[in-house]
Amino acid sequence: QLETLEQEEQERLELRPHPTEKTTHIVSHEHGMTVTKTLQEGEAEPQCLSFSYSRARLQGVLLEGASLLLLRVLARRQTMPPDLVFPAINIEGDLCTSSY
């Protein structure tokens, strides 16, 4: 029963003359989950994209932070259930599946 309440990801690439910074903020709320992505390239205005998913579409979704935690638990128990597949959100923000 893993549930992600909030997750923040930040990436920064130092390329001169235009460093690039990308952040992703995911927050769970009563109606589902909202994902906000921001891209900042050099001194340009930040580009922001936000989208939401309903609770019904996210049933059983496993985000990156929860996935890492699950892998640690499975490694500690030294067991891997066969055909372990979870709904996930890919780097573009689309729903997909993650299998182990």
Side-chain angles (χ1 to χ4, degrees):
Q1 293 287 348
L2 298 175
E3 181 180 355
T4 300
L5 301 177
E6 188 169 7
Q7 180 172 305
E8 183 86 28
E9 297 174 18
Q10 187 173 23
E11 297 177 43
R12 184 166 175 85
L13 184 58
E14 289 287 340
L15 289 177
R16 296 177 200 242
H18 302 289
T20 301
E21 188 169 330
K22 182 172 78 172
T23 60
T24 304
H25 184 239
I26 301 171
V27 65
S28 180
H29 47 77
E30 66 179 278
H31 301 294
M33 188 171 284
T34 299
V35 179
T36 304
K37 293 179 161 278
T38 306
L39 178 64
Q40 173 80 45
E41 293 181 296
E43 299 297 320
E45 283 291 317
Q47 300 171 12
C48 191
L49 174 65
S50 185
F51 43 93
S52 296
Y53 295 104
S54 68
R55 282 224 180 258
R57 289 194 67 201
L58 293 174
Q59 186 67 33
V61 75
L62 190 65
L63 298 178
E64 186 177 358
S67 177
L68 293 173
L69 178 61
L70 177 61
L71 288 175
R72 287 183 180 176
V73 169
L74 292 173
R76 179 111 173 127
R77 290 184 177 177
Q78 297 181 346
T79 182
M80 179 64 82
D83 302 323
L84 190 59
V85 177
F86 290 98
I89 298 176
N90 69 15
I91 197 163
E92 289 85 25
D94 299 320
L95 289 176
C96 62
T97 57
S98 179
S99 57
Y100 297 84

